[in-house]
Amino acid sequence: MSKELVLVSHGQLCEGLKASTEMIMGPQAHIHTVPLLPEEGTEDFKEKFLSAVSSLEDYVVFCDLMGGTPANSIAQLIMEGESIELYAGMNMPMVIEFINSQMVGTQPEYVRSGAENILNVNQVIAVLAEEDE
């Protein structure tokens, strides 16, 4: 893998998402997490993020929520001239898209992958049941 992935979130969501993804895809040394803890403020988070990415050359960032402190802190860095690729609304399909695209060398489609995997399962079952009739 040439690119790294940094997951950022309120609380330990990012760490849980990494751990859950590793249950499916195996250990992921190229995925890093930066949680915003309750006792931390914006500046604390920004410093922690910058420290976490200081040794990374090529990375993409997924955050939990547009408009929250993690996303806003990184968006501020982007507006200050930092070259950071940032996506909000992270979910496991996006992380798996990252891993798969790195393994096979394809262009990732994070937004498509994340959005296509948000489904009303009851509707899916109803459609399948209609097809079986």
Side-chain angles (χ1 to χ4, degrees), residues 29-119:
H30 297 286
I31 298 179
H32 313 273
T33 60
V34 184
L36 170 65
L37 301 178
E39 65 273 10
E40 295 173 331
T42 302
E43 286 305 312
D44 299 316
F45 177 79
K46 189 190 295 188
E47 288 176 26
K48 189 162 60 168
F49 173 79
L50 289 172
S51 176
V53 300
S54 65
S55 64
L56 305 180
E57 291 184 27
D58 189 15
Y59 64 93
V60 61
V61 180
F62 293 171
C63 69
D64 57 351
L65 177 69
M66 184 66 184
T69 297
N72 290 348
S73 298
I74 297 167
Q76 181 181 14
L77 291 170
I78 293 168
M79 290 185 291
E80 292 170 358
E82 294 288 331
S83 180
I84 302 170
E85 187 178 358
L86 174 64
Y87 293 86
M90 69 180 177
N91 59 30
M92 191 181 294
M94 291 172 67
V95 178
I96 292 172
E97 176 77 11
F98 169 83
I99 296 166
N100 286 337
S101 69
Q102 293 294 298
M103 288 187 337
V104 298
T106 58
Q107 184 66 34
E109 296 185 38
Y110 304 127
V111 174
R112 179 200 51 78
S113 181
E116 281 182 358
N117 282 280
I118 299 172
L119 302 167

